[in-house]
Amino acid sequence: MHSPSGLELAGLASLLVAVPAVALLANSGRRHTGAARRAHLLLAAGAAITTAAALAGLLSSLFLAHGPAQLASAVAVAMALGTLTLLTGTLVLPGAAESAGAAGRHLLDGFVVAAALWFVGWVLVSQPTRLLGDLTPGRCLSMLLPAGVAAISLGLTAVLAMHAHRPRHITVRVAAGVAVVAVAATALSAGICRGWPVVVLLSAVLLPAGLVVVARAVKVADRPVEVLGDVTQRNTGYAFVPMSALVGALGYHLAVGGVFDVFGFLGVSIEGFALVARQYLALADVKRHTVALRQREAHFRELAHTDPLTGLANRRGLVRALRESEVRERARVLGQPAAENRRQPRVLVGLDLDGFKNVNDMRGHDVGDAVLTEVGRRLGVSLRDGDVAARLGGDEFAVLMWATPEEAMVAGKRLLAVLSEPYETEDGSVFLSASVGVADSLAPGDTGELMRDADLALRYAKQRGKNRVERYQKRYDELLRRHSVLENELRHAIERDQLRLVFQPVVALPSMRPVGAEALLRWHHPELGAVRPDEFIPVAEESGLISMIGSWVLDQACRQLAQWLAGGHDIWVSVNLSPKELHAADYAGQVAEVLERYHVPPQRLVLEVTEHAVATDMDELIRRLCELRSTGVRIALDDFGAGYSSLGQLRNLPVDILKIDHALVAEPESRTGTAAPLVDVVVRLGHRLGLEVLAEGIGTPAQRAIVEEAGCRLGQGSLFGWGVPAEHLQALLETVRSSGARPVPVQRARPPVPPSAPARSQVIMLGPGMRQVRALLPTDPAFAIEDGSRTGDQDVRSVDAPREMGQS
């Protein structure tokens, strides 16, 4: 035991400064969680070990009588262990590496730099260079371990400065602080071994300084960092620098006559193995990255050909399946003998859900998506191996199969039944039907044609009433071409004066006196000839031309009506109204403007709405019809009995006239033994609701008799005249006016009119809180009842009274 010198006491005092740094690191570890907590605690443990080893070594050298060599070895081992713990904490620090593999790569990179530093240092301190001269600590083998750890710390600091995640300065500060601690550990071991108090004091100052740097840096080490995970962006060119330094030092050492001893061999070996291991990891990274890219590319390629909602193929996937099937079929045919060279037909089945838009509109898109997902599941479990189901978009699906056309038709009917089953959702059951189109092909390379043919068959199935299966036929191409020609020519039909109106008379029964006329649109093309309305009207609706054509029809009809009224004819005109026109913005304003332009009394114009329009949103339909009736025009419900309206809807609809569909008028004798049995029911229903009833399609005297017997006051049909030009109908009106009332046919026995029969003006209830003052149409004098007998020989002309619509 010897008395401590002032330098030794100063070193001891300096080491005590490291204690607060250790406490600061431990407190930081307690405050953090996850990876940051683990890193901070490792740093705190390493700082505690190095501080304890330094204090123990310094105190032992001051007050105990151990040999310097043994004491230096113990201090070297303990401080090397503490420094390695600090290095481990640095590598797992957030921002140092994105994974354990990346931390291993950083450590190997540090070994590469450390081996070069070791070798260069060996060249500098060994014979013949002996840069330190007599101060070379050749006898202190105990300092080799902390010197090697210090080299690794310096190398790791350099690597982290290049490869740590941004912001890097925090991680580099921690690594630099650890490197300072490692250098202090080496100096302390050497100072104790050689008895150099200045070196001991220097190490006692460096050690707490390095720990303070680490403690202050880790406070912000867990802040968000920018992770770079792409191996293609990692820079490994720095490996050439330490390798160049190693080769240069070795060349110099051998050039000046140095000996390649075990220490030099150790440095070169570590450098070589570190480079090989690093290269192996780099190749493994590249391979793993390449595999991941390949898998990701395959995944995205599959996503590009897969519908994300149903998991079926999308349009691209279906096209790919069609092309692959062509390639397989060609290979199969080429590999077979000519006698067996028969192509197996490919069949494409197109499917479309009928009325699916209403599901999205009424139930919401979540329910619609659930229905589409269930459709995909049903298609998947209904197909054979090798068949490909695809969702082409919206509610349109397709199935590619290898089958004969007959087998495909059977499969289409089976799919039609499967898709028509109820769909159970959280909001209740959804009922849908489907339309199916089937197209087959034997020729190769006709993928586009096959899809087009299936689409045409599907389109034809929808046009023919939906909920059916149609097989493609060649004439569908002709229909498509004609549809295209009609659409193009219809755009210019008005300006080329190809459209005209004809008027079919509406007569009062039983006198058959004309009291009204329905305006019917006709199109005569110079090359196509006369085009039927049931052919060009759907084309106009699909192409969006119906609004333009409807405006022209309304204008021409009102102009002709104004001429008739100016001539003193007691008549009204009805115009058919498309559902698209009805839901157009400010259509009621357009009607009012046309009426005002030609000074036509609104009650003389009747707008006919087909019963199929009732299948739309009832509230919206009632609102639109109320807007129209507020202008004073009358509303007729056309084709009643052939659509979807119920009694409750009929009671709430703001209509004035009920037009019985011609199918009910022409209904043959039923099991009741009576022809057209529903006519009487509809007439009584209409009268009970305060509506005027008009029977359409009367073509025979027998049908007229049935309608008259049912009490219907208005009739229309071929029996009373087809649609004729305006001048022909005007001539008929002139004839009726000049000859007086038309003779009344022989009266038929009919039930007495009850006292509660509708009067010429009455108030009826349309629905809760709604009432209407209704004026009857111009009627025949034969309907006047005086003392229970008819006065059919009187010519009394009735005038329409305006109606009002209000809220009670």
Side-chain angles (χ1 to χ4, degrees):
M1 182 174 180
H2 67 277
S3 299
S5 64
L7 292 177
E8 293 173 330
L9 291 176
L12 182 62
S14 299
L15 280 177
L16 294 177
V17 180
V19 177
V22 175
L24 186 62
L25 286 170
N27 183 57
S28 177
R30 287 194 301 269
R31 288 189 294 106
H32 289 85
T33 58
R37 179 184 179 89
R38 182 170 61 251
H40 291 188
L41 291 180
L42 283 173
L43 291 174
I49 293 173
T50 53
T51 302
L55 286 174
L58 187 57
L59 290 174
S60 297
S61 66
L62 292 178
F63 302 108
L64 299 180
H66 294 294
Q70 294 83 355
L71 180 60
S73 298
V75 171
V77 171
M79 295 199 71
L81 179 62
T83 307
L84 289 175
T85 306
L86 286 170
L87 287 176
T88 305
T90 304
L91 284 174
V92 300
L93 199 66
E98 68 269 14
S99 63
R105 290 191 296 270
H106 290 340
L107 186 59
L108 279 177
D109 290 339
F111 269 109
V112 171
V113 178
L117 291 175
W118 175 277
F119 192 86
V120 172
W122 168 75
V123 170
L124 293 178
V125 299
S126 63
Q127 292 288 355
T129 304
R130 288 187 62 86
L131 181 64
L132 299 179
D134 295 336
L135 298 179
T136 301
R139 293 182 294 108
C140 295
L141 298 180
S142 58
M143 67 171 293
L144 294 178
L145 180 61
V149 175
I152 296 173
S153 301
L154 293 173
L156 186 61
T157 302
V159 170
L160 290 178
M162 292 182 290
H163 288 288
H165 302 312
R166 297 180 178 88
R168 294 175 180 162
H169 64 90
I170 299 173
T171 306
V172 173
R173 283 169 57 190
V174 175
V178 174
V180 171
V181 173
V183 172
T186 304
L188 182 62
S189 300
I192 293 175
C193 178
R194 298 299 300 268
W196 291 339
V198 176
V199 176
V200 171
L201 175 61
L202 180 62
S203 65
V205 174
L206 289 177
L207 179 66
L211 293 179
V212 170
V213 171
V214 173
R216 293 189 52 104
V218 296
K219 285 186 176 182
V220 291
D222 57 338
R223 290 182 179 176
V225 294
E226 180 184 349
V227 178
L228 181 63
D230 188 356
V231 298
T232 62
Q233 299 184 23
R234 296 174 186 161
N235 182 16
T236 56
Y238 64 89
F240 289 97
V241 175
M243 193 65 191
S244 300
L246 187 147
V247 173
L250 178 60
Y252 167 77
H253 184 69
L254 295 177
V256 296
V259 180
F260 194 70
D261 58 10
V262 64
F263 296 109
F265 176 76
L266 180 63
V268 173
S269 300
I270 293 175
E271 180 77 7
F273 280 111
L275 285 174
V276 170
R278 185 64 183 86
Q279 184 66 19
Y280 173 79
L281 290 180
L283 291 176
D285 279 347
V286 172
K287 180 180 178 180
R288 185 166 50 251
H289 185 69
T290 303
V291 172
L293 285 179
R294 200 171 290 166
Q295 292 175 347
R296 192 177 306 169
E297 181 182 357
H299 173 69
F300 284 122
R301 187 183 299 113
E302 191 62 27
L303 284 181
H305 294 84
T306 304
D307 177 61
L309 180 62
T310 61
L312 305 177
N314 57 12
R315 187 177 293 273
R316 289 193 188 94
L318 179 63
V319 172
R320 181 179 66 175
L322 285 167
R323 292 173 178 171
E324 290 177 353
S325 66
E326 291 178 6
V327 175
R328 289 197 302 267
E329 184 63 13
R330 286 195 184 98
R332 186 185 69 82
V333 172
L334 292 176
Q336 289 181 347
E340 301 178 4
N341 192 348
R342 295 182 179 179
R343 300 187 64 88
Q344 188 177 6
R346 295 180 304 163
V347 179
L348 187 62
V349 180
L351 306 101
D352 189 89
L353 301 179
D354 302 329
F356 179 76
K357 185 178 183 299
N358 293 332
V359 177
N360 279 336
D361 294 342
M362 304 300 294
R363 302 284 190 93
H365 288 276
D366 291 340
V367 175
D369 290 346
V371 171
L372 293 177
T373 303
E374 176 63 16
V375 170
R377 188 194 68 80
R378 294 183 185 182
L379 289 178
V381 300
S382 302
L383 301 181
R384 303 171 302 180
D385 293 338
D387 295 345
V388 178
R391 180 188 175 211
L392 305 183
D395 59 338
E396 186 177 355
F397 295 81
V399 176
L400 173 64
M401 60 177 61
W402 299 94
T404 63
E406 292 73 19
E407 292 173 342
M409 289 294 292
V410 174
K413 293 177 181 178
R414 185 179 70 250
L415 292 176
L416 188 67
V418 168
L419 298 182
S420 297
E421 296 178 359
Y423 296 86
E424 302 298 333
T425 65
E426 295 181 356
D427 293 345
S429 300
V430 175
F431 298 90
L432 291 173
S433 62
S435 300
V436 180
V438 178
D440 58 275
S441 173
L442 286 173
D446 59 351
T447 296
E449 290 187 15
L450 184 61
M451 295 184 67
R452 185 184 65 87
D453 294 347
D455 187 64
L456 281 177
L458 175 61
R459 184 174 181 177
Y460 193 67
K462 296 183 77 68
Q463 289 180 353
R464 294 194 63 183
K466 305 179 181 179
N467 195 26
R468 59 187 298 120
V469 181
E470 290 290 339
R471 181 182 172 186
Y472 169 77
Q473 301 178 21
K474 285 291 185 182
R475 64 187 183 91
Y476 292 170
D477 290 321
E478 300 177 3
L479 294 175
L480 179 63
R481 284 193 294 269
R482 182 169 176 83
H483 184 280
S484 178
V485 171
L486 291 179
E487 180 178 342
N488 292 333
E489 295 298 322
L490 193 57
R491 295 182 183 275
H492 309 286
I494 295 178
E495 61 187 61
R496 295 172 180 172
D497 197 23
Q498 297 173 358
L499 298 180
R500 62 189 179 90
L501 292 183
V502 297
F503 298 87
Q504 185 176 24
V506 176
V507 302
L509 298 176
S511 69
M512 294 191 297
R513 175 175 175 266
V515 293
E518 180 178 359
L520 303 174
L521 181 62
R522 296 292 182 264
W523 181 20
H524 185 81
H525 192 273
E527 297 179 0
L528 301 176
V531 186
R532 293 172 53 87
D534 57 358
E535 185 179 13
F536 72 81
I537 292 298
V539 174
E541 291 180 343
E542 291 181 14
S543 59
L545 299 173
I546 192 65
S547 298
M548 177 184 68
I549 295 176
S551 298
W552 182 85
V553 170
L554 179 63
D555 183 87
Q556 296 297 310
C558 289
R559 184 172 67 174
Q560 184 60 58
L561 178 58
Q563 294 177 6
W564 284 334
L565 294 177
H569 300 292
D570 184 14
I571 195 172
W572 48 267
V573 170
S574 64
V575 175
N576 290 283
L577 180 60
S578 168
K580 291 189 177 181
E581 292 181 89
L582 178 62
H583 292 86
D586 196 30
Y587 182 73
Q590 299 177 29
V591 173
E593 180 182 353
V594 174
L595 293 174
E596 183 179 0
R597 183 189 311 154
Y598 295 108
H599 305 288
V600 173
Q603 64 270 19
R604 296 287 179 170
L605 177 64
V606 177
L607 297 178
E608 297 188 10
V609 181
T610 178
E611 191 189 3
H612 293 276
V614 179
T616 60
D617 185 1
M618 279 297 298
D619 294 336
E620 177 67 11
L621 179 63
I622 291 175
R623 188 177 70 84
R624 294 289 184 176
L625 293 179
C626 287
E627 289 179 358
L628 283 176
R629 297 185 75 253
S630 65
T631 64
V633 301
R634 288 175 293 186
I635 306 297
L637 183 60
D638 198 9
D639 300 332
F640 182 79
Y644 309 97
S645 58
S646 64
L647 296 181
Q649 292 172 337
L650 185 60
R651 181 173 180 267
N652 293 324
L653 283 175
V655 298
D656 305 277
I657 306 171
L658 200 62
K659 299 188 70 172
I660 306 176
D661 187 73
H662 61 86
L664 299 184
V665 175
E667 186 178 6
E669 185 172 325
S670 65
R671 57 184 178 172
T672 61
T674 305
L678 293 180
V679 171
D680 181 71
V681 176
V682 175
V683 172
R684 291 178 180 273
L685 173 65
H687 289 169
R688 283 296 184 92
L689 293 176
L691 304 177
E692 195 64 65
V693 182
L694 190 157
E696 293 183 289
I698 302 177
T700 64
Q703 293 173 355
R704 189 197 73 189
I706 293 173
V707 170
E708 291 179 2
E709 186 174 356
C712 185
R713 299 178 173 129
L714 298 173
Q716 182 181 0
S718 60
L719 182 63
F720 314 118
W722 296 99
V724 295
E727 55 270 18
H728 292 184
L729 183 59
Q730 183 171 348
L732 176 62
L733 296 176
E734 294 287 353
T735 302
V736 172
R737 185 170 62 179
S738 62
S739 61
R742 193 163 182 162
V744 181
V746 179
Q747 297 183 359
R748 299 173 56 89
R750 57 186 299 172
V753 180
S756 60
R760 290 187 177 275
S761 180
Q762 61 182 184
V763 178
I764 65 169
M765 298 301 296
L766 292 177
M770 301 178 65
R771 66 182 180 180
Q772 176 186 359
V773 180
R774 185 184 304 280
L776 298 181
L777 294 168
T779 54
D780 192 85
F783 291 140
I785 300 177
E786 297 181 1
D787 299 330
S789 61
R790 297 186 179 272
T791 58
D793 55 344
Q794 300 178 6
D795 185 12
V796 181
R797 296 172 57 191
S798 61
V799 180
D800 293 332
R803 296 176 310 279
E804 296 178 358
M805 184 74 183
Q807 299 287 337
S808 61

PDB file of all heavy atoms in Angstrom, residues 325-342:
ATOM      1  N   SER A 325     -56.827 -20.134 -72.357  1.00  0.00           N
ATOM      2  CA  SER A 325     -57.586 -21.273 -72.872  1.00  0.00           C
ATOM      3  C   SER A 325     -57.310 -21.471 -74.360  1.00  0.00           C
ATOM      4  O   SER A 325     -57.258 -22.606 -74.850  1.00  0.00           O
ATOM      5  CB  SER A 325     -59.080 -21.049 -72.634  1.00  0.00           C
ATOM      6  OG  SER A 325     -59.567 -19.953 -73.401  1.00  0.00           O
ATOM      7  N   GLU A 326     -57.100 -20.382 -75.104  1.00  0.00           N
ATOM      8  CA  GLU A 326     -56.757 -20.499 -76.513  1.00  0.00           C
ATOM      9  C   GLU A 326     -55.413 -21.191 -76.682  1.00  0.00           C
ATOM     10  O   GLU A 326     -55.252 -22.076 -77.526  1.00  0.00           O
ATOM     11  CB  GLU A 326     -56.714 -19.115 -77.153  1.00  0.00           C
ATOM     12  CG  GLU A 326     -58.067 -18.440 -77.272  1.00  0.00           C
ATOM     13  CD  GLU A 326     -57.941 -17.056 -77.871  1.00  0.00           C
ATOM     14  OE1 GLU A 326     -56.814 -16.702 -78.276  1.00  0.00           O
ATOM     15  OE2 GLU A 326     -58.952 -16.344 -77.912  1.00  0.00           O
ATOM     16  N   VAL A 327     -54.435 -20.791 -75.860  1.00  0.00           N
ATOM     17  CA  VAL A 327     -53.110 -21.400 -75.957  1.00  0.00           C
ATOM     18  C   VAL A 327     -53.176 -22.884 -75.621  1.00  0.00           C
ATOM     19  O   VAL A 327     -52.602 -23.729 -76.323  1.00  0.00           O
ATOM     20  CB  VAL A 327     -52.125 -20.660 -75.024  1.00  0.00           C
ATOM     21  CG1 VAL A 327     -50.781 -21.364 -75.023  1.00  0.00           C
ATOM     22  CG2 VAL A 327     -51.968 -19.214 -75.462  1.00  0.00           C
ATOM     23  N   ARG A 328     -53.864 -23.235 -74.542  1.00  0.00           N
ATOM     24  CA  ARG A 328     -53.980 -24.643 -74.162  1.00  0.00           C
ATOM     25  C   ARG A 328     -54.696 -25.453 -75.239  1.00  0.00           C
ATOM     26  O   ARG A 328     -54.319 -26.589 -75.532  1.00  0.00           O
ATOM     27  CB  ARG A 328     -54.718 -24.765 -72.832  1.00  0.00           C
ATOM     28  CG  ARG A 328     -53.933 -24.292 -71.637  1.00  0.00           C
ATOM     29  CD  ARG A 328     -54.537 -24.804 -70.352  1.00  0.00           C
ATOM     30  NE  ARG A 328     -55.921 -24.388 -70.213  1.00  0.00           N
ATOM     31  CZ  ARG A 328     -56.311 -23.296 -69.571  1.00  0.00           C
ATOM     32  NH1 ARG A 328     -55.391 -22.508 -69.020  1.00  0.00           N
ATOM     33  NH2 ARG A 328     -57.584 -22.969 -69.471  1.00  0.00           N
ATOM     34  N   GLU A 329     -55.726 -24.865 -75.829  1.00  0.00           N
ATOM     35  CA  GLU A 329     -56.478 -25.598 -76.847  1.00  0.00           C
ATOM     36  C   GLU A 329     -55.623 -25.809 -78.096  1.00  0.00           C
ATOM     37  O   GLU A 329     -55.655 -26.882 -78.706  1.00  0.00           O
ATOM     38  CB  GLU A 329     -57.755 -24.828 -77.192  1.00  0.00           C
ATOM     39  CG  GLU A 329     -58.665 -25.547 -78.172  1.00  0.00           C
ATOM     40  CD  GLU A 329     -59.198 -26.855 -77.638  1.00  0.00           C
ATOM     41  OE1 GLU A 329     -59.072 -27.112 -76.426  1.00  0.00           O
ATOM     42  OE2 GLU A 329     -59.731 -27.644 -78.442  1.00  0.00           O
ATOM     43  N   ARG A 330     -54.837 -24.809 -78.479  1.00  0.00           N
ATOM     44  CA  ARG A 330     -53.969 -24.995 -79.637  1.00  0.00           C
ATOM     45  C   ARG A 330     -52.957 -26.109 -79.375  1.00  0.00           C
ATOM     46  O   ARG A 330     -52.682 -26.953 -80.247  1.00  0.00           O
ATOM     47  CB  ARG A 330     -53.238 -23.693 -79.955  1.00  0.00           C
ATOM     48  CG  ARG A 330     -54.094 -22.615 -80.587  1.00  0.00           C
ATOM     49  CD  ARG A 330     -53.225 -21.530 -81.183  1.00  0.00           C
ATOM     50  NE  ARG A 330     -54.020 -20.442 -81.717  1.00  0.00           N
ATOM     51  CZ  ARG A 330     -54.258 -19.307 -81.070  1.00  0.00           C
ATOM     52  NH1 ARG A 330     -53.756 -19.131 -79.862  1.00  0.00           N
ATOM     53  NH2 ARG A 330     -54.992 -18.350 -81.604  1.00  0.00           N
ATOM     54  N   ALA A 331     -52.375 -26.091 -78.168  1.00  0.00           N
ATOM     55  CA  ALA A 331     -51.399 -27.131 -77.823  1.00  0.00           C
ATOM     56  C   ALA A 331     -52.044 -28.507 -77.813  1.00  0.00           C
ATOM     57  O   ALA A 331     -51.449 -29.491 -78.265  1.00  0.00           O
ATOM     58  CB  ALA A 331     -50.763 -26.830 -76.470  1.00  0.00           C
ATOM     59  N   ARG A 332     -53.251 -28.587 -77.308  1.00  0.00           N
ATOM     60  CA  ARG A 332     -53.931 -29.887 -77.267  1.00  0.00           C
ATOM     61  C   ARG A 332     -54.237 -30.380 -78.667  1.00  0.00           C
ATOM     62  O   ARG A 332     -54.056 -31.559 -78.984  1.00  0.00           O
ATOM     63  CB  ARG A 332     -55.223 -29.755 -76.461  1.00  0.00           C
ATOM     64  CG  ARG A 332     -55.945 -31.071 -76.231  1.00  0.00           C
ATOM     65  CD  ARG A 332     -57.272 -30.833 -75.530  1.00  0.00           C
ATOM     66  NE  ARG A 332     -58.221 -30.153 -76.406  1.00  0.00           N
ATOM     67  CZ  ARG A 332     -58.963 -30.790 -77.315  1.00  0.00           C
ATOM     68  NH1 ARG A 332     -58.857 -32.104 -77.470  1.00  0.00           N
ATOM     69  NH2 ARG A 332     -59.796 -30.119 -78.085  1.00  0.00           N
ATOM     70  N   VAL A 333     -54.693 -29.483 -79.537  1.00  0.00           N
ATOM     71  CA  VAL A 333     -55.030 -29.894 -80.900  1.00  0.00           C
ATOM     72  C   VAL A 333     -53.784 -30.310 -81.672  1.00  0.00           C
ATOM     73  O   VAL A 333     -53.779 -31.303 -82.398  1.00  0.00           O
ATOM     74  CB  VAL A 333     -55.766 -28.752 -81.625  1.00  0.00           C
ATOM     75  CG1 VAL A 333     -55.956 -29.076 -83.088  1.00  0.00           C
ATOM     76  CG2 VAL A 333     -57.115 -28.507 -80.958  1.00  0.00           C
ATOM     77  N   LEU A 334     -52.675 -29.573 -81.506  1.00  0.00           N
ATOM     78  CA  LEU A 334     -51.446 -29.915 -82.225  1.00  0.00           C
ATOM     79  C   LEU A 334     -50.869 -31.231 -81.751  1.00  0.00           C
ATOM     80  O   LEU A 334     -50.177 -31.924 -82.509  1.00  0.00           O
ATOM     81  CB  LEU A 334     -50.412 -28.794 -82.040  1.00  0.00           C
ATOM     82  CG  LEU A 334     -50.751 -27.462 -82.720  1.00  0.00           C
ATOM     83  CD1 LEU A 334     -49.706 -26.417 -82.369  1.00  0.00           C
ATOM     84  CD2 LEU A 334     -50.845 -27.638 -84.233  1.00  0.00           C
ATOM     85  N   GLY A 335     -51.130 -31.604 -80.516  1.00  0.00           N
ATOM     86  CA  GLY A 335     -50.583 -32.837 -79.983  1.00  0.00           C
ATOM     87  C   GLY A 335     -51.435 -34.053 -80.229  1.00  0.00           C
ATOM     88  O   GLY A 335     -51.083 -35.151 -79.783  1.00  0.00           O
ATOM     89  N   GLN A 336     -52.568 -33.923 -80.911  1.00  0.00           N
ATOM     90  CA  GLN A 336     -53.457 -35.040 -81.165  1.00  0.00           C
ATOM     91  C   GLN A 336     -53.401 -35.435 -82.637  1.00  0.00           C
ATOM     92  O   GLN A 336     -53.105 -34.606 -83.511  1.00  0.00           O
ATOM     93  CB  GLN A 336     -54.894 -34.684 -80.804  1.00  0.00           C
ATOM     94  CG  GLN A 336     -55.131 -34.563 -79.301  1.00  0.00           C
ATOM     95  CD  GLN A 336     -56.577 -34.233 -79.002  1.00  0.00           C
ATOM     96  OE1 GLN A 336     -57.332 -33.871 -79.887  1.00  0.00           O
ATOM     97  NE2 GLN A 336     -56.948 -34.383 -77.744  1.00  0.00           N
ATOM     98  N   PRO A 337     -53.711 -36.688 -82.938  1.00  0.00           N
ATOM     99  CA  PRO A 337     -53.804 -37.096 -84.345  1.00  0.00           C
ATOM    100  C   PRO A 337     -54.923 -36.346 -85.041  1.00  0.00           C
ATOM    101  O   PRO A 337     -55.849 -35.816 -84.411  1.00  0.00           O
ATOM    102  CB  PRO A 337     -54.095 -38.605 -84.251  1.00  0.00           C
ATOM    103  CG  PRO A 337     -53.670 -39.003 -82.882  1.00  0.00           C
ATOM    104  CD  PRO A 337     -53.870 -37.804 -82.014  1.00  0.00           C
ATOM    105  N   ALA A 338     -54.848 -36.308 -86.371  1.00  0.00           N
ATOM    106  CA  ALA A 338     -55.838 -35.566 -87.148  1.00  0.00           C
ATOM    107  C   ALA A 338     -57.234 -36.121 -86.944  1.00  0.00           C
ATOM    108  O   ALA A 338     -58.223 -35.384 -86.950  1.00  0.00           O
ATOM    109  CB  ALA A 338     -55.470 -35.593 -88.625  1.00  0.00           C
ATOM    110  N   ALA A 339     -57.345 -37.435 -86.725  1.00  0.00           N
ATOM    111  CA  ALA A 339     -58.668 -38.041 -86.550  1.00  0.00           C
ATOM    112  C   ALA A 339     -59.327 -37.593 -85.258  1.00  0.00           C
ATOM    113  O   ALA A 339     -60.550 -37.575 -85.140  1.00  0.00           O
ATOM    114  CB  ALA A 339     -58.561 -39.565 -86.585  1.00  0.00           C
ATOM    115  N   GLU A 340     -58.486 -37.252 -84.282  1.00  0.00           N
ATOM    116  CA  GLU A 340     -59.040 -36.838 -82.987  1.00  0.00           C
ATOM    117  C   GLU A 340     -58.951 -35.338 -82.790  1.00  0.00           C
ATOM    118  O   GLU A 340     -59.167 -34.836 -81.699  1.00  0.00           O
ATOM    119  CB  GLU A 340     -58.272 -37.542 -81.857  1.00  0.00           C
ATOM    120  CG  GLU A 340     -58.339 -39.049 -81.951  1.00  0.00           C
ATOM    121  CD  GLU A 340     -57.531 -39.694 -80.838  1.00  0.00           C
ATOM    122  OE1 GLU A 340     -57.014 -38.942 -79.997  1.00  0.00           O
ATOM    123  OE2 GLU A 340     -57.418 -40.928 -80.819  1.00  0.00           O
ATOM    124  N   ASN A 341     -58.605 -34.634 -83.855  1.00  0.00           N
ATOM    125  CA  ASN A 341     -58.396 -33.191 -83.751  1.00  0.00           C
ATOM    126  C   ASN A 341     -59.737 -32.459 -83.776  1.00  0.00           C
ATOM    127  O   ASN A 341     -60.151 -31.943 -84.805  1.00  0.00           O
ATOM    128  CB  ASN A 341     -57.518 -32.726 -84.910  1.00  0.00           C
ATOM    129  CG  ASN A 341     -57.019 -31.310 -84.698  1.00  0.00           C
ATOM    130  OD1 ASN A 341     -57.483 -30.608 -83.812  1.00  0.00           O
ATOM    131  ND2 ASN A 341     -56.088 -30.906 -85.535  1.00  0.00           N
ATOM    132  N   ARG A 342     -60.386 -32.464 -82.663  1.00  0.00           N
ATOM    133  CA  ARG A 342     -61.663 -31.766 -82.526  1.00  0.00           C
ATOM    134  C   ARG A 342     -61.552 -30.745 -81.403  1.00  0.00           C
ATOM    135  O   ARG A 342     -61.135 -31.081 -80.295  1.00  0.00           O
ATOM    136  CB  ARG A 342     -62.793 -32.744 -82.195  1.00  0.00           C
ATOM    137  CG  ARG A 342     -63.075 -33.727 -83.312  1.00  0.00           C
ATOM    138  CD  ARG A 342     -64.234 -34.635 -82.945  1.00  0.00           C
ATOM    139  NE  ARG A 342     -64.534 -35.570 -84.006  1.00  0.00           N
ATOM    140  CZ  ARG A 342     -65.498 -36.495 -83.926  1.00  0.00           C
ATOM    141  NH1 ARG A 342     -66.235 -36.579 -82.819  1.00  0.00           N
ATOM    142  NH2 ARG A 342     -65.705 -37.314 -84.928  1.00  0.00           N
TER     143      ARG A 342
END
